[in-house]
Amino acid sequence: MVEMAPSALLHRNLRQVPPMVVRGEGSWLVDAEGRRYLDASGGAAVSCLGHGHPRVAAAIRAQLDQVAYVHSSFFTNAPAEALARRLIDRAPPGFGQGLATFVGSGSEAMEAALKLARQYHVERGEPRRGRMISRRMSYHGNTLGALAVGGHAGRRALYAPLLVGTSQVAPCFAYRFRREDESEEAYGLRVADELEAEILRLGPETVAAFVAEPVVGATIGTVPPVPGYFRRIREICDRHGVLFIADEVMCGMGRCGSLFAIVDEGVAPDIIIVAKGLGAGFQPIGAMLASGRVADALRRGSGVLQHGHTYMSHAVACAGALAVLDVIEEDGLLGAVRRQGAALDAALRAEFGAHPLVGDIRGRGLFRTLEIVADRASKAPFPPSLRLAARIKAEAQARGLICYPSSGTADGEAGDHVLLAPPFTVSAEEIGQIVAMLRGTFDAVLPDQGRSRAPAATGQAAAAS
Ligand SMILES: Cc1ncc(COP(=O)(O)O)c(C=O)c1O
C-alpha cells in the first residue's frame, strides 16, 4: 500500500478516491501499486495514440523550448496557424475558405460554436435567430451553454434553473426506436422530419442552429445514423436557413475511421467541433471549424469574433495536436482504425453475439458498444436500481480493464451499455484480451441466466461496486 496524506483534490466521488496512475505505455496504464490496466476506452475516447508517444512528446517539448504561450489578441503562433490550415484542408467540402479556432475542451468548443451560430445570423441581419435545437439523449458538454443544448436528462436536472431554453427532437437510434414495419431509411426520414416540425413550431425566423453528433457517443453508446438521415437533416436546415453544427468531440479525428465522421454521411455541416482525439490526451485542446459560408458572414460583417478565452490557440497544445495528426497520417492510422475496428467488432460478435443479455453490438471504426438488456426479444432494460453500468465499470477496472459503461441507454434513465474506444494502435492480441476481460466482467456482474435475475445472485459484483 502507498501511504498518502488525505486528498485535497475534489474527486468526482468523494467516497471513492481512484487509484493513482504513475505510468502509461501504449494501451496500458500502471498504478502506484504496480497494477496494470488495459485502457480499452482511452478514458472517455481520448487517448487515440495510447499512453506516451515519442513524436508527440518531442513536438511538445520543442514548442515549450521556443514559446509556450501568447495571448491571441496580441500575437499569433506557428503551431496554431499550421493546425488551423491542416484541419481546414482536411475538413468536408465547403470548409476550403473556412476558419478554425482552438480552445481548451469540447465544452468550450461547443460554446464557441453556439455563439458563432448566433453571431452569423446577427451579422447577416437576422437578429431574431437565437433558438437552438438538439436531440434527446445527446451530450454536448458540461458548461452551461453546452449543457443547455444537451439532451441528457440526468446531467441537466440539477442545473435546470441555470440553463437557457432549447428544444430537443428525437435521436436517430434505430435499435430502440425504429418501428418494425419501417425500413431504416423510412425511420431516418421520420425522425429527421421532427426537426422540420420543431423549426416550424418555433418559427424559422427564430431558429439559429441544429446540433447533433454524427455518431452518438457517451449517452447511448456509439450509435451511427441510418442511411439518409443526415442528408434529410441538411435539406431541412437549408430550407429554413438554420445552421447545422456537427459535434465530433467524441466521434471525430479518426475514431470512426475518417478524420471527420460526418463525411461518411455524404453531407457537410456549417460548423464542426472536435476535441478528445485532437489532442489525444497529451494536451487539453478543442477546436471549432467554421465553413466558408459562416466565415464569410464574419469577413463581410464586423470581422470580429465576439468570443474569446485566455488560452485560445495555445501554442503547446496546438503543437501537440499537430504532432498527433502527423502520426495518424504518417502511420496510416485511419486504415488501422477501420481494420482493427472490424476485428474488434468480429471478436465482440463471436463472444457476445448469442449472449442472452447483450441486445445490440454496434458502432463504427474503433468506437464500439455492447448494449445490455434484460430480455433480447423485448429489449427491456434492467432497472436502474441495479446500477449495472457502475458495477461493470468497477468490476472491469478491478480485473485490469478500463472500459466506459453508462446508463440511461433505453430511455434516458433505464438501460446500460459498455462503450469501447481503444487506441488506434491496438493490437490483435490486445483485442483478444479486451474481449476476454469483458466476458469475465459480465459473468461476474450480470444476473446469472441459469439462476435468479435478482442482484443478490451476483455476490462478486456487489463486492466490486
Ligand atoms: C459529444 C461530446 N461533446 C462535447 C463533450 C464535452 O467535451 P469536454 O468534456 O472536453 O468538455 C463531450 C465529452 O464527453 C462529448 O462526448
Side-chain angles (χ1 to χ4, degrees), residues 12 44 104-110 139-143 146 155 213 215 217-218 247-251 273 275-276 285 404:
R12 287 182 175 226
S105 65
S107 300
E108 284 181 37
M110 180 51 76
Y139 179 62
H140 299 295
N142 250 341
T143 51
R155 295 194 198 201
E213 286 172 87
V215 178
D247 178 348
E248 300 212 5
V249 166
M250 210 180 230
C251 63
I273 63 166
K276 299 177 185 278
I285 186 167
Y404 191 21

PDB file of all heavy atoms in Angstrom, residues 12 44 104-110 139-143 146 155 213 215 217-218 247-251 273 275-276 285 404, ligand 1:
ATOM      1  N   ARG A  12     -14.242  13.251  -8.240  1.00  0.00           N
ATOM      2  CA  ARG A  12     -15.598  13.147  -8.775  1.00  0.00           C
ATOM      3  C   ARG A  12     -16.523  12.480  -7.772  1.00  0.00           C
ATOM      4  O   ARG A  12     -17.705  12.791  -7.723  1.00  0.00           O
ATOM      5  CB  ARG A  12     -15.586  12.369 -10.085  1.00  0.00           C
ATOM      6  CG  ARG A  12     -14.991  13.191 -11.206  1.00  0.00           C
ATOM      7  CD  ARG A  12     -15.014  12.447 -12.503  1.00  0.00           C
ATOM      8  NE  ARG A  12     -14.544  13.326 -13.567  1.00  0.00           N
ATOM      9  CZ  ARG A  12     -15.146  13.446 -14.736  1.00  0.00           C
ATOM     10  NH1 ARG A  12     -16.222  12.769 -15.016  1.00  0.00           N
ATOM     11  NH2 ARG A  12     -14.657  14.262 -15.646  1.00  0.00           N
ATOM     12  N   ALA A  44     -12.306   8.558 -21.802  1.00  0.00           N
ATOM     13  CA  ALA A  44     -13.583   8.763 -22.499  1.00  0.00           C
ATOM     14  C   ALA A  44     -13.280   9.050 -23.973  1.00  0.00           C
ATOM     15  O   ALA A  44     -13.514  10.151 -24.467  1.00  0.00           O
ATOM     16  CB  ALA A  44     -14.349   9.908 -21.855  1.00  0.00           C
ATOM     17  N   GLY A 104      -9.878  25.003 -25.056  1.00  0.00           N
ATOM     18  CA  GLY A 104      -9.275  24.024 -24.163  1.00  0.00           C
ATOM     19  C   GLY A 104     -10.009  22.703 -24.010  1.00  0.00           C
ATOM     20  O   GLY A 104      -9.485  21.780 -23.401  1.00  0.00           O
ATOM     21  N   SER A 105     -11.230  22.588 -24.552  1.00  0.00           N
ATOM     22  CA  SER A 105     -12.020  21.376 -24.307  1.00  0.00           C
ATOM     23  C   SER A 105     -13.166  21.297 -25.307  1.00  0.00           C
ATOM     24  O   SER A 105     -13.450  22.264 -26.028  1.00  0.00           O
ATOM     25  CB  SER A 105     -12.618  21.412 -22.900  1.00  0.00           C
ATOM     26  OG  SER A 105     -13.553  22.477 -22.814  1.00  0.00           O
ATOM     27  N   GLY A 106     -13.862  20.169 -25.270  1.00  0.00           N
ATOM     28  CA  GLY A 106     -15.031  20.010 -26.123  1.00  0.00           C
ATOM     29  C   GLY A 106     -16.150  20.970 -25.736  1.00  0.00           C
ATOM     30  O   GLY A 106     -16.836  21.522 -26.599  1.00  0.00           O
ATOM     31  N   SER A 107     -16.336  21.151 -24.435  1.00  0.00           N
ATOM     32  CA  SER A 107     -17.400  22.056 -23.985  1.00  0.00           C
ATOM     33  C   SER A 107     -17.129  23.484 -24.443  1.00  0.00           C
ATOM     34  O   SER A 107     -18.041  24.187 -24.903  1.00  0.00           O
ATOM     35  CB  SER A 107     -17.508  22.043 -22.460  1.00  0.00           C
ATOM     36  OG  SER A 107     -17.794  20.750 -21.998  1.00  0.00           O
ATOM     37  N   GLU A 108     -15.878  23.915 -24.329  1.00  0.00           N
ATOM     38  CA  GLU A 108     -15.544  25.267 -24.798  1.00  0.00           C
ATOM     39  C   GLU A 108     -15.751  25.383 -26.304  1.00  0.00           C
ATOM     40  O   GLU A 108     -16.170  26.433 -26.807  1.00  0.00           O
ATOM     41  CB  GLU A 108     -14.089  25.609 -24.459  1.00  0.00           C
ATOM     42  CG  GLU A 108     -13.857  25.956 -23.019  1.00  0.00           C
ATOM     43  CD  GLU A 108     -12.391  26.300 -22.754  1.00  0.00           C
ATOM     44  OE1 GLU A 108     -11.738  26.922 -23.605  1.00  0.00           O
ATOM     45  OE2 GLU A 108     -11.907  25.915 -21.682  1.00  0.00           O
ATOM     46  N   ALA A 109     -15.439  24.303 -27.022  1.00  0.00           N
ATOM     47  CA  ALA A 109     -15.649  24.344 -28.480  1.00  0.00           C
ATOM     48  C   ALA A 109     -17.142  24.474 -28.783  1.00  0.00           C
ATOM     49  O   ALA A 109     -17.539  25.192 -29.711  1.00  0.00           O
ATOM     50  CB  ALA A 109     -15.073  23.082 -29.123  1.00  0.00           C
ATOM     51  N   MET A 110     -17.964  23.796 -27.980  1.00  0.00           N
ATOM     52  CA  MET A 110     -19.415  23.908 -28.193  1.00  0.00           C
ATOM     53  C   MET A 110     -19.906  25.317 -27.880  1.00  0.00           C
ATOM     54  O   MET A 110     -20.732  25.879 -28.609  1.00  0.00           O
ATOM     55  CB  MET A 110     -20.154  22.859 -27.342  1.00  0.00           C
ATOM     56  CG  MET A 110     -21.668  22.898 -27.482  1.00  0.00           C
ATOM     57  SD  MET A 110     -22.262  22.882 -29.205  1.00  0.00           S
ATOM     58  CE  MET A 110     -22.024  21.172 -29.647  1.00  0.00           C
ATOM     59  N   TYR A 139     -25.278  14.425 -25.635  1.00  0.00           N
ATOM     60  CA  TYR A 139     -24.432  15.149 -24.681  1.00  0.00           C
ATOM     61  C   TYR A 139     -23.488  16.042 -25.470  1.00  0.00           C
ATOM     62  O   TYR A 139     -22.828  15.578 -26.396  1.00  0.00           O
ATOM     63  CB  TYR A 139     -23.623  14.177 -23.815  1.00  0.00           C
ATOM     64  CG  TYR A 139     -22.711  14.868 -22.840  1.00  0.00           C
ATOM     65  CD1 TYR A 139     -23.239  15.692 -21.856  1.00  0.00           C
ATOM     66  CD2 TYR A 139     -21.323  14.727 -22.914  1.00  0.00           C
ATOM     67  CE1 TYR A 139     -22.404  16.353 -20.960  1.00  0.00           C
ATOM     68  CE2 TYR A 139     -20.492  15.385 -22.016  1.00  0.00           C
ATOM     69  CZ  TYR A 139     -21.036  16.190 -21.044  1.00  0.00           C
ATOM     70  OH  TYR A 139     -20.215  16.845 -20.160  1.00  0.00           O
ATOM     71  N   HIS A 140     -23.440  17.324 -25.097  1.00  0.00           N
ATOM     72  CA  HIS A 140     -22.584  18.243 -25.839  1.00  0.00           C
ATOM     73  C   HIS A 140     -21.632  19.017 -24.933  1.00  0.00           C
ATOM     74  O   HIS A 140     -21.019  19.978 -25.376  1.00  0.00           O
ATOM     75  CB  HIS A 140     -23.445  19.206 -26.667  1.00  0.00           C
ATOM     76  CG  HIS A 140     -24.292  18.490 -27.684  1.00  0.00           C
ATOM     77  ND1 HIS A 140     -23.748  17.797 -28.732  1.00  0.00           N
ATOM     78  CD2 HIS A 140     -25.628  18.343 -27.788  1.00  0.00           C
ATOM     79  CE1 HIS A 140     -24.716  17.248 -29.461  1.00  0.00           C
ATOM     80  NE2 HIS A 140     -25.865  17.558 -28.907  1.00  0.00           N
ATOM     81  N   GLY A 141     -21.521  18.599 -23.679  1.00  0.00           N
ATOM     82  CA  GLY A 141     -20.579  19.268 -22.794  1.00  0.00           C
ATOM     83  C   GLY A 141     -21.244  19.727 -21.516  1.00  0.00           C
ATOM     84  O   GLY A 141     -22.471  19.699 -21.384  1.00  0.00           O
ATOM     85  N   ASN A 142     -20.420  20.173 -20.577  1.00  0.00           N
ATOM     86  CA  ASN A 142     -20.903  20.465 -19.233  1.00  0.00           C
ATOM     87  C   ASN A 142     -20.910  21.937 -18.858  1.00  0.00           C
ATOM     88  O   ASN A 142     -21.373  22.286 -17.775  1.00  0.00           O
ATOM     89  CB  ASN A 142     -20.046  19.700 -18.213  1.00  0.00           C
ATOM     90  CG  ASN A 142     -20.841  18.577 -17.561  1.00  0.00           C
ATOM     91  OD1 ASN A 142     -22.072  18.580 -17.595  1.00  0.00           O
ATOM     92  ND2 ASN A 142     -20.149  17.635 -16.976  1.00  0.00           N
ATOM     93  N   THR A 143     -20.359  22.818 -19.696  1.00  0.00           N
ATOM     94  CA  THR A 143     -20.524  24.243 -19.412  1.00  0.00           C
ATOM     95  C   THR A 143     -21.989  24.588 -19.676  1.00  0.00           C
ATOM     96  O   THR A 143     -22.712  23.824 -20.332  1.00  0.00           O
ATOM     97  CB  THR A 143     -19.596  25.081 -20.299  1.00  0.00           C
ATOM     98  OG1 THR A 143     -19.791  24.660 -21.656  1.00  0.00           O
ATOM     99  CG2 THR A 143     -18.131  24.898 -19.922  1.00  0.00           C
ATOM    100  N   ALA A 146     -23.391  24.551 -23.332  1.00  0.00           N
ATOM    101  CA  ALA A 146     -23.320  23.199 -23.893  1.00  0.00           C
ATOM    102  C   ALA A 146     -24.325  22.279 -23.202  1.00  0.00           C
ATOM    103  O   ALA A 146     -24.992  21.470 -23.849  1.00  0.00           O
ATOM    104  CB  ALA A 146     -21.901  22.647 -23.745  1.00  0.00           C
ATOM    105  N   ARG A 155     -27.786  14.694 -16.431  1.00  0.00           N
ATOM    106  CA  ARG A 155     -26.760  15.730 -16.238  1.00  0.00           C
ATOM    107  C   ARG A 155     -27.372  17.129 -16.181  1.00  0.00           C
ATOM    108  O   ARG A 155     -26.784  18.049 -15.629  1.00  0.00           O
ATOM    109  CB  ARG A 155     -25.724  15.662 -17.364  1.00  0.00           C
ATOM    110  CG  ARG A 155     -24.951  14.368 -17.338  1.00  0.00           C
ATOM    111  CD  ARG A 155     -23.730  14.431 -18.217  1.00  0.00           C
ATOM    112  NE  ARG A 155     -23.256  13.083 -18.508  1.00  0.00           N
ATOM    113  CZ  ARG A 155     -22.040  12.776 -18.902  1.00  0.00           C
ATOM    114  NH1 ARG A 155     -21.149  13.721 -19.048  1.00  0.00           N
ATOM    115  NH2 ARG A 155     -21.693  11.543 -19.159  1.00  0.00           N
ATOM    116  N   GLU A 213     -24.514  14.967 -32.862  1.00  0.00           N
ATOM    117  CA  GLU A 213     -23.308  14.154 -33.047  1.00  0.00           C
ATOM    118  C   GLU A 213     -23.526  13.238 -34.257  1.00  0.00           C
ATOM    119  O   GLU A 213     -24.511  12.488 -34.260  1.00  0.00           O
ATOM    120  CB  GLU A 213     -23.085  13.246 -31.847  1.00  0.00           C
ATOM    121  CG  GLU A 213     -22.596  13.908 -30.598  1.00  0.00           C
ATOM    122  CD  GLU A 213     -22.612  12.880 -29.455  1.00  0.00           C
ATOM    123  OE1 GLU A 213     -21.623  12.164 -29.294  1.00  0.00           O
ATOM    124  OE2 GLU A 213     -23.623  12.801 -28.739  1.00  0.00           O
ATOM    125  N   VAL A 215     -22.042  10.440 -35.017  1.00  0.00           N
ATOM    126  CA  VAL A 215     -22.176   9.122 -34.383  1.00  0.00           C
ATOM    127  C   VAL A 215     -22.272   9.401 -32.882  1.00  0.00           C
ATOM    128  O   VAL A 215     -21.333   9.942 -32.288  1.00  0.00           O
ATOM    129  CB  VAL A 215     -20.964   8.213 -34.692  1.00  0.00           C
ATOM    130  CG1 VAL A 215     -21.116   6.867 -33.976  1.00  0.00           C
ATOM    131  CG2 VAL A 215     -20.815   7.999 -36.195  1.00  0.00           C
ATOM    132  N   GLY A 217     -22.121   9.316 -29.003  1.00  0.00           N
ATOM    133  CA  GLY A 217     -21.126   8.655 -28.167  1.00  0.00           C
ATOM    134  C   GLY A 217     -21.622   8.220 -26.805  1.00  0.00           C
ATOM    135  O   GLY A 217     -22.330   7.223 -26.671  1.00  0.00           O
ATOM    136  N   ALA A 218     -21.290   8.997 -25.789  1.00  0.00           N
ATOM    137  CA  ALA A 218     -21.414   8.549 -24.404  1.00  0.00           C
ATOM    138  C   ALA A 218     -22.841   8.218 -23.983  1.00  0.00           C
ATOM    139  O   ALA A 218     -23.060   7.259 -23.245  1.00  0.00           O
ATOM    140  CB  ALA A 218     -20.843   9.614 -23.479  1.00  0.00           C
ATOM    141  N   ASP A 247     -21.234  17.945 -33.809  1.00  0.00           N
ATOM    142  CA  ASP A 247     -20.398  17.766 -32.621  1.00  0.00           C
ATOM    143  C   ASP A 247     -19.610  16.468 -32.793  1.00  0.00           C
ATOM    144  O   ASP A 247     -20.130  15.371 -32.579  1.00  0.00           O
ATOM    145  CB  ASP A 247     -21.287  17.717 -31.375  1.00  0.00           C
ATOM    146  CG  ASP A 247     -20.470  17.494 -30.105  1.00  0.00           C
ATOM    147  OD1 ASP A 247     -19.269  17.160 -30.202  1.00  0.00           O
ATOM    148  OD2 ASP A 247     -21.044  17.629 -28.996  1.00  0.00           O
ATOM    149  N   GLU A 248     -18.353  16.623 -33.178  1.00  0.00           N
ATOM    150  CA  GLU A 248     -17.478  15.456 -33.382  1.00  0.00           C
ATOM    151  C   GLU A 248     -16.442  15.346 -32.274  1.00  0.00           C
ATOM    152  O   GLU A 248     -15.348  14.818 -32.466  1.00  0.00           O
ATOM    153  CB  GLU A 248     -16.809  15.529 -34.757  1.00  0.00           C
ATOM    154  CG  GLU A 248     -17.802  15.537 -35.904  1.00  0.00           C
ATOM    155  CD  GLU A 248     -17.283  14.867 -37.165  1.00  0.00           C
ATOM    156  OE1 GLU A 248     -16.169  14.302 -37.133  1.00  0.00           O
ATOM    157  OE2 GLU A 248     -17.986  14.917 -38.177  1.00  0.00           O
ATOM    158  N   VAL A 249     -16.800  15.872 -31.108  1.00  0.00           N
ATOM    159  CA  VAL A 249     -15.848  15.844 -29.992  1.00  0.00           C
ATOM    160  C   VAL A 249     -15.408  14.411 -29.697  1.00  0.00           C
ATOM    161  O   VAL A 249     -14.230  14.143 -29.463  1.00  0.00           O
ATOM    162  CB  VAL A 249     -16.475  16.501 -28.740  1.00  0.00           C
ATOM    163  CG1 VAL A 249     -15.681  16.186 -27.477  1.00  0.00           C
ATOM    164  CG2 VAL A 249     -16.565  18.010 -28.944  1.00  0.00           C
ATOM    165  N   MET A 250     -16.364  13.478 -29.744  1.00  0.00           N
ATOM    166  CA  MET A 250     -16.015  12.095 -29.427  1.00  0.00           C
ATOM    167  C   MET A 250     -15.784  11.254 -30.691  1.00  0.00           C
ATOM    168  O   MET A 250     -14.850  10.468 -30.767  1.00  0.00           O
ATOM    169  CB  MET A 250     -17.113  11.465 -28.573  1.00  0.00           C
ATOM    170  CG  MET A 250     -16.591  10.412 -27.629  1.00  0.00           C
ATOM    171  SD  MET A 250     -17.895   9.689 -26.626  1.00  0.00           S
ATOM    172  CE  MET A 250     -17.173   9.821 -25.015  1.00  0.00           C
ATOM    173  N   CYS A 251     -16.635  11.423 -31.683  1.00  0.00           N
ATOM    174  CA  CYS A 251     -16.595  10.502 -32.832  1.00  0.00           C
ATOM    175  C   CYS A 251     -15.613  10.942 -33.917  1.00  0.00           C
ATOM    176  O   CYS A 251     -15.327  10.161 -34.836  1.00  0.00           O
ATOM    177  CB  CYS A 251     -17.997  10.339 -33.428  1.00  0.00           C
ATOM    178  SG  CYS A 251     -18.701  11.869 -34.094  1.00  0.00           S
ATOM    179  N   ILE A 273     -17.232  20.815 -34.405  1.00  0.00           N
ATOM    180  CA  ILE A 273     -16.324  20.895 -33.261  1.00  0.00           C
ATOM    181  C   ILE A 273     -15.675  19.526 -33.048  1.00  0.00           C
ATOM    182  O   ILE A 273     -16.296  18.489 -33.257  1.00  0.00           O
ATOM    183  CB  ILE A 273     -17.000  21.401 -31.973  1.00  0.00           C
ATOM    184  CG1 ILE A 273     -18.103  20.444 -31.482  1.00  0.00           C
ATOM    185  CG2 ILE A 273     -17.552  22.801 -32.161  1.00  0.00           C
ATOM    186  CD1 ILE A 273     -18.540  20.736 -30.052  1.00  0.00           C
ATOM    187  N   ALA A 275     -12.482  17.567 -30.363  1.00  0.00           N
ATOM    188  CA  ALA A 275     -11.660  17.772 -29.145  1.00  0.00           C
ATOM    189  C   ALA A 275     -10.912  16.477 -28.856  1.00  0.00           C
ATOM    190  O   ALA A 275      -9.973  16.149 -29.565  1.00  0.00           O
ATOM    191  CB  ALA A 275     -12.510  18.223 -27.961  1.00  0.00           C
ATOM    192  N   LYS A 276     -11.403  15.718 -27.903  1.00  0.00           N
ATOM    193  CA  LYS A 276     -10.749  14.491 -27.407  1.00  0.00           C
ATOM    194  C   LYS A 276      -9.575  13.963 -28.247  1.00  0.00           C
ATOM    195  O   LYS A 276      -8.421  14.142 -27.888  1.00  0.00           O
ATOM    196  CB  LYS A 276     -11.807  13.415 -27.239  1.00  0.00           C
ATOM    197  CG  LYS A 276     -12.876  13.821 -26.218  1.00  0.00           C
ATOM    198  CD  LYS A 276     -13.945  12.805 -26.090  1.00  0.00           C
ATOM    199  CE  LYS A 276     -15.079  13.218 -25.184  1.00  0.00           C
ATOM    200  NZ  LYS A 276     -14.841  13.013 -23.759  1.00  0.00           N
ATOM    201  N   ILE A 285      -7.156  20.281 -25.547  1.00  0.00           N
ATOM    202  CA  ILE A 285      -7.441  21.136 -26.703  1.00  0.00           C
ATOM    203  C   ILE A 285      -8.770  20.736 -27.331  1.00  0.00           C
ATOM    204  O   ILE A 285      -9.136  19.561 -27.355  1.00  0.00           O
ATOM    205  CB  ILE A 285      -6.296  21.074 -27.758  1.00  0.00           C
ATOM    206  CG1 ILE A 285      -6.550  22.082 -28.894  1.00  0.00           C
ATOM    207  CG2 ILE A 285      -6.096  19.658 -28.302  1.00  0.00           C
ATOM    208  CD1 ILE A 285      -5.359  22.323 -29.803  1.00  0.00           C
ATOM    209  N   TYR A 404     -15.891   1.976 -20.774  1.00  0.00           N
ATOM    210  CA  TYR A 404     -16.666   3.186 -20.471  1.00  0.00           C
ATOM    211  C   TYR A 404     -18.161   2.861 -20.459  1.00  0.00           C
ATOM    212  O   TYR A 404     -18.867   3.140 -21.413  1.00  0.00           O
ATOM    213  CB  TYR A 404     -16.329   4.245 -21.524  1.00  0.00           C
ATOM    214  CG  TYR A 404     -16.823   5.646 -21.246  1.00  0.00           C
ATOM    215  CD1 TYR A 404     -17.142   6.072 -19.970  1.00  0.00           C
ATOM    216  CD2 TYR A 404     -16.958   6.567 -22.280  1.00  0.00           C
ATOM    217  CE1 TYR A 404     -17.578   7.356 -19.740  1.00  0.00           C
ATOM    218  CE2 TYR A 404     -17.397   7.866 -22.057  1.00  0.00           C
ATOM    219  CZ  TYR A 404     -17.712   8.248 -20.782  1.00  0.00           C
ATOM    220  OH  TYR A 404     -18.159   9.521 -20.552  1.00  0.00           O
TER     221      TYR A 404
HETATM  222  C1  LIG B   1     -20.096  14.657 -27.999  1.00  0.00           C
HETATM  223  C2  LIG B   1     -19.438  15.450 -26.927  1.00  0.00           C
HETATM  224  N1  LIG B   1     -19.482  16.789 -26.988  1.00  0.00           N
HETATM  225  C3  LIG B   1     -18.893  17.557 -26.059  1.00  0.00           C
HETATM  226  C4  LIG B   1     -18.231  16.989 -24.986  1.00  0.00           C
HETATM  227  C5  LIG B   1     -17.583  17.860 -23.960  1.00  0.00           C
HETATM  228  O1  LIG B   1     -16.192  17.754 -24.039  1.00  0.00           O
HETATM  229  P1  LIG B   1     -15.264  18.115 -22.778  1.00  0.00           P
HETATM  230  O2  LIG B   1     -15.520  17.073 -21.754  1.00  0.00           O
HETATM  231  O3  LIG B   1     -13.870  18.083 -23.338  1.00  0.00           O
HETATM  232  O4  LIG B   1     -15.644  19.475 -22.331  1.00  0.00           O
HETATM  233  C6  LIG B   1     -18.157  15.601 -24.890  1.00  0.00           C
HETATM  234  C7  LIG B   1     -17.466  14.971 -23.749  1.00  0.00           C
HETATM  235  O5  LIG B   1     -17.629  13.806 -23.453  1.00  0.00           O
HETATM  236  C8  LIG B   1     -18.780  14.807 -25.878  1.00  0.00           C
HETATM  237  O6  LIG B   1     -18.741  13.466 -25.821  1.00  0.00           O
END
